[in-house]
Amino acid sequence: MVKSEGPKLVPFFKATCVYFVLWLPTSSPSWFSALIKCLPIFCLWVFLLAHGINFLVAHRSASRILAGLIFSAVGDAFLIWQEQGYFIHGLLMFAITHILYSSAFGMKPLDLKAGLMMGLISSSCYAFLYSYLSGPFTYLVAVYIALIGFMGWRAVAGMQLCNDLWTWTKLSACIGAMLFMVSDLTIAVNKFCFPVPYSRVIIMATYYAAQMLIALSAVESRDEEDFKKRS
C-alpha cells in the first residue's frame, strides 16, 4: 500500500517541508504566505484527483473529503489574516470541513460507546475553555467543538477495532481525526487562554498530518476495487 500511494504523496511532503523551512512570520500576512501555508493542502487535492475523476464521482466519501480539503484551504487563507478580523471566517470554513468529513465517514456502525467517549472529551475541552471565552466566541466555539467532536466520533466508530474489522485506511481516518482535534485545541488554548510553547509547530505539524491521513482514508474504496480485480 505504501508503494502504491507513497509516490502520490511526495509533492505533499515537499510542500510541507517548504512551509517549515521558510517559516514565514505570521506578523506579516501576505498572499505569498497564504500560498505557502495552503500548498500542502493543494497537493492533497492533487493526490485525490490522481485517483481519477470517475473514482471521485463514484465514491461520495472520497468526493466529500476532497470538498473538505477545499474548504480547509480557504480556512487556512482566512486564518493568515486572523488578526485583521478573519478568524471567524476561518472557523466557519473548518466547521464546514468537519461536516463534510463526518458525512464521508458515515453513520454506520453507530458505536454509541465511542460517541459517549468523544462527547465527554469534547465537553471537557469546552468546560476548560469556557471561562476564557466572551462575546460570540462563547457559542461559536461550543458549536465548533461539537462539530469536530462529532467528526472524531464517526472516525473512531468506523475503525471497528474491537470487532477486528479495521483497515489501514479506517485507522488513518481515526488517527487523522484525533490529530485534527489536537491541532484545533492547541489553537484555542493559545488564542483564548494562554501562550502555548512551540504552538505554531504543534498546530501545523498535527494539522498537516491529520489532513494527509484523512485524505489517505478516501482511497479505501479504490483499494477494495483493486483487490477484487486481482482476486
Side-chain angles (χ1 to χ4, degrees):
M1 199 57 60
V2 174
K3 290 181 180 178
S4 63
E5 301 302 334
K8 298 186 187 78
L9 284 170
V10 169
F12 165 78
F13 288 118
K14 288 182 177 179
T16 303
C17 288
V18 167
Y19 173 83
F20 283 105
V21 168
L22 291 181
W23 203 243
L24 298 173
T26 56
S27 57
S28 304
S30 67
W31 284 108
F32 179 69
S33 58
L35 173 64
I36 295 302
K37 185 182 181 184
C38 295
L39 195 57
I41 307 303
F42 294 159
C43 292
L44 291 178
W45 297 3
V46 176
F47 167 74
L48 289 181
L49 290 169
H51 289 83
I53 298 297
N54 291 336
F55 167 72
L56 293 171
V57 171
H59 300 93
R60 291 182 178 179
S61 60
S63 60
R64 287 168 185 170
I65 287 175
L66 175 59
L69 288 167
I70 292 171
F71 277 99
S72 293
V74 178
D76 282 332
F78 275 130
L79 291 181
I80 287 288
W81 286 278
Q82 61 177 291
E83 298 303 325
Q84 284 71 36
Y86 288 96
F87 182 80
I88 292 179
H89 298 73
L91 196 70
L92 175 60
M93 292 301 102
F94 280 107
I96 295 172
T97 294
H98 297 317
I99 292 171
L100 287 164
Y101 286 170
S102 299
S103 178
F105 297 150
M107 289 302 296
K108 294 180 180 180
L110 194 59
D111 196 346
L112 293 177
K113 289 183 179 178
L116 178 60
M117 177 189 72
M118 294 307 303
L120 289 173
I121 292 173
S122 299
S123 299
S124 299
C125 290
Y126 184 67
F128 173 76
L129 294 169
Y130 181 76
S131 61
Y132 296 96
L133 302 173
S134 60
F137 287 113
T138 304
Y139 59 86
L140 288 175
V141 171
V143 172
Y144 187 86
I145 288 177
L147 289 173
I148 195 172
F150 185 84
M151 186 271 290
W153 169 31
R154 298 322 309 147
V156 171
M159 189 170 60
Q160 301 184 75
L161 187 61
C162 296
N163 297 328
D164 201 27
L165 296 174
W166 68 277
T167 62
W168 75 273
T169 47
K170 290 177 180 176
L171 180 62
S172 71
C174 179
I175 297 174
M178 295 302 102
L179 288 175
F180 216 135
M181 293 179 73
V182 170
S183 179
D184 282 359
L185 180 61
T186 306
I187 290 175
V189 172
N190 190 66
K191 182 174 182 64
F192 299 113
C193 305
F194 48 79
V196 177
Y198 307 106
S199 60
R200 189 177 170 192
V201 174
I202 296 169
I203 291 165
M204 297 311 299
T206 52
Y207 170 68
Y208 285 142
Q211 294 282 38
M212 180 196 70
L213 290 168
I214 290 172
L216 273 171
S217 74
V219 305
E220 179 170 25
S221 15
R222 177 60 173 271
D223 297 334
E224 289 173 352
E225 287 177 356
D226 293 342
F227 179 76
K228 289 175 182 176
K229 289 177 182 177
R230 292 194 298 267
S231 299

